[in-house]
Amino acid sequence: MLNMRDLQYFTVLADELSFSRAAERLGISQPTLSQTLQRLERSVGGRLIERTTRRSRLTPAGETLVEGARQLLADLVRLERTTQDAAAGRVGSIRVGSVNPAMRVLMPRILRAVRAETPEVEVTLHPSSSHTQLRLLVDGQLEAGILRGREAPAGLALEPLMNEPLYAAVPSQHPVARADVVELADLNGLDFVMAPRDRNPLFYDELIRLFSDARCSPRRILTADDMWAQLAMIAAGNGVAVLPFLFVDHSRDDVVFRPLGLDLDVPLAVVYAPGSPSAAVAAVLRAARAESAGLLDAEHRLDQPD
């Protein structure tokens, strides 16, 4: 039966067509190489190399064998590499969840960094609310999630990324939009646009607590299901909002964002299964830390007065 070592020796002999040069290249003796050739010829039932006093050449059987041997050896190298990658968590796919506000700027940066570090891994992105992501993570339907929360369910790890600064989001024509400094009390008695409480009760209740502490009482609370709907309602003049940093889009001309000098005490965090061997999960963690810090630093510089 053919074996991989004999095939490897034969490919070198086919390249050199010289027993002395092939043996030297392989680091074996010529008799050992001759015995290898004889063993292969017995296995295939015919001559593989024709030798004369002037030169040697492959027979048709030899050409067939060396072509197949090279393919097998290449496949073996690939198999070894992919198995090593699998053992190190560098192959396969990873499913990452994200709250909608992170989709605008943060997630593209994270995914770009993950792709650069683990280009062979297929990454799929799943926009979901924080509590939906936690359920999917518990069920094993996500490997990592970017969400807002303080604690992770049993079996998962939570790493805070940042306590987002809070901003007043107001229509561009609103009087508050012209103020250099805005406080929550300046929004007292206005209609507020908020996501429904069931999307993230912890986040919703923290905002209500901040309103109460600042003696800011909304006239009405209007609900909008996601960030795009909230910003559309604000742009249309249907209310104002207190929004975390990831909502902020200074390129808009219909909504103005003013820092409130407060941080949201519900951190943006990355949640994952601890002890995962996946190199892609590790890459997500590194990218989430670096890109969150970079965005926050850039925003702090932008908010500094001239």
Side-chain angles (χ1 to χ4, degrees):
M1 182 178 292
L2 300 176
N3 65 71
M4 299 305 292
R5 175 173 293 180
D6 286 353
L7 291 176
Q8 181 183 17
Y9 287 1
F10 182 67
T11 59
V12 174
L13 180 58
D15 287 340
E16 299 293 345
L17 289 177
S18 164
F19 278 80
S20 59
R21 291 196 301 270
E24 182 179 2
R25 181 173 155 188
L26 289 166
I28 61 175
S29 67
Q30 290 190 45
T32 298
L33 186 55
S34 295
Q35 292 168 9
T36 298
L37 179 61
Q38 293 168 9
R39 189 163 50 247
L40 287 171
E41 289 179 335
R42 286 196 301 270
S43 294
V44 302
R47 299 290 298 276
L48 297 172
I49 293 180
E50 289 183 350
R51 285 165 285 179
T52 68
T53 55
R54 300 181 59 186
R55 65 186 183 90
S56 298
R57 67 179 181 85
L58 294 174
T59 65
E63 291 175 351
T64 300
L65 181 62
V66 76
E67 180 180 350
R70 287 191 175 115
Q71 183 63 54
L72 282 173
L73 291 168
D75 288 343
L76 183 62
V77 170
R78 281 192 292 270
L79 177 60
E80 181 180 27
R81 185 181 301 119
T82 56
T83 303
Q84 291 169 343
D85 287 342
R90 292 191 295 265
V91 295
S93 62
I94 179 175
R95 299 159 296 184
V96 181
S98 172
V99 290
N100 275 320
M103 299 286 287
R104 190 178 63 83
V105 176
L106 179 59
M107 285 310 302
R109 294 184 178 211
I110 290 175
L111 295 180
R112 192 179 304 119
V114 172
R115 179 180 177 131
E117 187 172 338
T118 57
E120 67 285 352
V121 175
E122 177 185 331
V123 181
T124 57
L125 184 59
H126 302 267
S128 310
S129 67
S130 295
H131 75 271
T132 297
Q133 285 187 64
L134 290 175
R135 175 175 55 79
L136 295 173
L137 284 157
V138 168
D139 292 345
Q141 297 180 56
L142 292 177
E143 280 68 53
I146 305 296
L147 51 83
R148 290 191 181 94
R150 296 191 184 108
E151 297 180 353
L156 297 175
L158 180 147
E159 180 178 328
L161 297 172
M162 62 171 143
N163 284 76
E164 295 171 81
L166 291 171
Y167 290 74
V170 301
S172 58
Q173 302 305 313
H174 196 281
V176 171
R178 296 190 290 273
D180 293 330
V181 178
V182 178
E183 298 181 355
L184 266 179
D186 298 328
L187 307 177
N188 183 52
L190 301 177
D191 289 341
F192 273 64
V193 180
M194 296 179 66
R197 184 177 182 276
D198 61 8
R199 289 189 64 81
N200 190 332
L202 186 65
F203 172 53
Y204 186 100
D205 292 346
E206 176 63 15
L207 288 185
I208 296 298
R209 183 191 67 78
L210 288 173
F211 297 161
S212 177
D213 289 350
R215 301 184 184 279
C216 174
S217 179
R219 187 170 75 95
R220 291 183 302 172
I221 292 180
L222 310 174
T223 58
D225 194 56
D226 58 34
M227 68 171 289
W228 314 113
Q230 291 176 63
L231 293 174
M233 290 181 67
I234 296 166
N238 291 336
V240 300
V242 173
L243 299 175
F245 161 63
L246 288 180
F247 280 76
V248 174
D249 182 357
H250 293 298
S251 68
R252 295 186 69 125
D253 58 11
D254 53 359
V255 178
V256 172
F257 300 88
R258 291 286 183 262
L260 289 167
L262 300 169
D263 290 343
L264 178 64
D265 191 25
V266 181
L268 185 75
V270 56
V271 178
Y272 60 99
S276 169
S278 170
V281 169
V284 168
L285 296 178
R286 283 190 289 272
R289 296 177 194 123
E291 299 301 336
S292 296
L295 283 175
L296 200 56
D297 287 345
E299 187 68 14
H300 280 154
R301 289 194 298 271
L302 188 63
D303 286 340
Q304 293 302 313
D306 294 335

